[in-house]
Amino acid sequence: MEPESPREPPPQEGSCPPGERPPSALGQSLSQIVHRLTSQEPRRGKARSAALEDLSALIEATECDELLEGGGTWRRGMPEVLGQVARALEKYAAPPREQEGRRRADCEVAEKAAAVGLLFLKLLGRMEAAKSSLVGPTWTAGLRHSAAPIYVFALTHSLEHPWTSPRSREVAGEVLSVLLRVTPCASVAGFLHGEHEDEKGRFTAVMELLKRDLNKESWKNNPATKHVFSWSLQQVTRPWLSQHLETVLPPSLLISDDYQTENKILGVRCLHHIVLNVPAADLLQYNRAQVVYHALFNHLYTPEYNLIQAVLLCLLDLFPILEKALQWKGGAARPTTHCDEVLQLILTHMEPEHRLLLRRTYARNLPAFVKRLGILTVRHLKRLERIIIGYLEVYDGPEEEARLKILETLKLLMQYAWPRVPCRLVVLLKALLKLICDVARDPNLTPEPVKSALLEEATECLILLNHCSQGQVKDLLVKILQSCEDSKVVNCIRKVQQVSEGTSYNGT
């Protein structure tokens, strides 16, 4: 009879599968620390604090080569374990879900972040020391797996937020500086997209880490995620961003579609950065540009001036991309564009608007729309005329931003649509003269530099109006000059006459 072979003991929890080398004692210790940090059991606060102390002592007591190589028996698994440790530390220091009465929780997060930051500094210090003592990919493999979690931690706590403190921001900022030095990268942008065009950066790894918290169900669980995503996205520009379009566009649309205004603005700014830094061909593919346009257009119905400002700036840069496919072949009327559609809605909102901040926002962006449409502005001329006259009549505060922008719009309108100006001569002349008289007689509401700017802009409008009407303004102003006693009004009228004296009206 053959002797019975000794029965193999059952595999223990945490052991490696057959054929793989078992983890070293260091690897087992790190894995246990990861388990203690990530455990979801209640009342584990003291155990997690103890795990941080154990990890700190372990990093200090372990030599660089053993920490990064695994002591020779488990080299292939050590970088992955270091990555797990870094991810566990980042999650441990992450702020909790937004809620009322969370000041105490924010203080606890800041304390955790300071402690975790010191651990990351120790770990990065070991990696920096290993750069000169180890040959090959040993230390770079550990850095490759842990760089993204360390970066997310540093960005979460280095900027001023409710969950940070001066101490946590200082430690996190130092972590980011050391991480860039160890990498080595000259800037955060270089860290994310690579120092050279053909170099692969770490933006993919960062997005992979953020992806689990950037879906519809979970993106509000961690209030720092949206800020880390937005700030990181802003660092990746042409030509690197196009390869990440499918990764960054959905989260940007998701954040912009929130009910909170601050999140809407954050998402719109992300979309604007994508529009500016991704080639038009990529945005037009799969109707991505149309999706972005409709998401932005819906925000124009919101009476939030800061959101409207962000949306209009993004739309003005999106119009050239959307209209690339539109080609006018002549003969028929030119098709209406997305710019026409947006301007029509803006004018609809402008006419009855009485809130000063919204009036200023609309007026601030109106010249850009007139420049964009050019001669096609005549489609909106009647409404523009009513809005220009109405806005010139209303005092807009010490800076007079709305009236200055409306005067700029009027100048552009007369330059692009001059054949339609003579029939509106009387209405526009009355509005401009009334403005000049109001500003000249204003005792103290408006500062003198603003008054001078208003009078100068109004005078230039009168000069253009005179040119478009073949000199009719000059003749109509003669009687006013004879009867007016206000020196400021007289100076404006004389400027118009002096410029008009040497002008020929054979053509416009």
Side-chain angles (χ1 to χ4, degrees), residues 329-348:
K329 298 180 180 179
R334 293 190 184 186
T336 56
T337 63
H338 297 86
C339 188
D340 283 301
E341 186 179 16
V342 173
L343 181 57
Q344 185 176 359
L345 182 61
I346 290 175
L347 297 178
T348 300

Side-chain angles (χ1 to χ4, degrees), residues 400-433:
E400 291 281 17
E401 182 183 2
R403 289 210 278 196
L404 284 169
K405 288 298 180 179
I406 288 295
L407 288 171
E408 182 182 348
T409 302
L410 179 57
K411 286 196 299 182
L412 291 168
L413 198 60
M414 289 190 287
Q415 292 171 10
Y416 288 119
W418 59 266
R420 301 287 185 92
V421 173
C423 62
R424 295 171 169 81
L425 170 62
V426 176
V427 177
L428 294 176
L429 181 58
K430 285 182 179 179
L432 289 170
L433 289 175

Side-chain angles (χ1 to χ4, degrees), residues 100-382:
E100 295 183 2
R102 49 170 296 169
R103 181 172 297 181
R104 180 179 176 183
D106 288 338
C107 293
E108 292 176 357
V109 170
E111 292 174 2
K112 291 180 182 178
V116 169
L118 293 176
L119 282 174
F120 277 140
L121 287 174
K122 289 182 180 180
L123 183 59
L124 288 171
R126 291 290 185 172
M127 291 183 180
E128 190 172 21
K131 288 173 64 175
S132 57
S133 61
L134 294 178
V135 181
T138 49
W139 73 272
T140 57
L143 182 62
R144 184 173 66 251
H145 286 83
S146 57
I150 295 175
Y151 166 82
V152 171
F153 163 83
L155 212 58
T156 298
H157 299 281
S158 60
L159 303 177
E160 188 169 356
H161 291 295
W163 58 84
T164 63
S165 66
R167 173 58 178 164
S168 66
R169 289 194 292 271
E170 179 186 358
V171 173
E174 189 177 352
V175 169
L176 185 60
S177 300
V178 176
L179 177 63
L180 295 179
R181 189 170 69 237
V182 173
T183 313
C185 294
S187 64
V188 173
F191 172 85
L192 291 172
H193 59 58
E195 293 290 343
H196 307 287
E197 188 172 343
D198 57 346
E199 183 181 344
K200 186 178 180 181
R202 295 168 181 83
F203 188 66
T204 302
V206 171
M207 286 304 302
E208 191 67 28
L209 196 61
L210 296 176
K211 186 170 64 174
R212 64 175 181 268
D213 290 330
L214 280 175
N215 56 65
K216 188 175 182 180
E217 289 75 25
S218 64
W219 74 277
K220 287 193 173 182
N221 289 343
N222 183 346
T225 301
K226 60 188 178 186
H227 297 290
V228 174
F229 167 73
S230 173
W231 198 89
S232 301
L233 174 64
Q234 302 290 331
Q235 310 307 309
V236 184
T237 55
R238 288 178 183 262
W240 296 278
L241 187 58
S242 58
Q243 60 185 305
H244 304 289
L245 180 58
E246 292 185 1
T247 306
V248 300
L249 184 57
S252 301
L253 290 168
L254 176 65
I255 297 171
S256 72
D257 194 35
D258 190 47
Y259 68 94
Q260 292 181 312
T261 302
E262 62 173 305
N263 290 335
K264 291 179 180 179
I265 296 172
L266 191 67
V268 169
R269 287 174 179 166
C270 291
L271 292 173
H272 194 182
H273 182 78
I274 291 171
V275 168
L276 291 174
N277 290 279
V278 173
D282 292 338
L283 289 172
L284 291 172
Q285 193 176 24
Y286 306 123
N287 264 353
R288 292 188 183 109
Q290 285 287 351
V291 172
V292 173
Y293 170 74
H294 288 297
L296 295 170
F297 187 83
N298 291 334
H299 290 312
L300 294 176
Y301 293 95
T302 307
E304 299 287 345
Y305 73 95
N306 45 4
L307 175 60
I308 296 291
Q309 176 64 31
V311 169
L312 292 179
L313 290 176
C314 185
L315 283 170
L316 286 167
D317 287 318
L318 184 62
F319 290 147
I321 297 171
L322 291 167
E323 294 164 12
K324 274 184 175 294
L326 296 178
Q327 293 183 354
W328 183 52
K329 298 180 180 179
R334 293 190 184 186
T336 56
T337 63
H338 297 86
C339 188
D340 283 301
E341 186 179 16
V342 173
L343 181 57
Q344 185 176 359
L345 182 61
I346 290 175
L347 297 178
T348 300
H349 291 165
M350 284 186 75
E351 203 164 353
E353 187 56 62
H354 63 279
R355 287 163 288 195
L356 288 179
L357 292 175
L358 274 171
R359 287 168 66 92
R360 290 170 190 162
T361 301
Y362 289 132
R364 186 184 304 127
N365 294 279
L366 203 54
F369 279 86
V370 175
K371 287 180 182 178
R372 178 69 195 163
L373 287 173
I375 186 61
L376 296 180
T377 313
V378 295
R379 292 170 172 168
H380 313 276
L381 201 53
K382 288 183 179 180

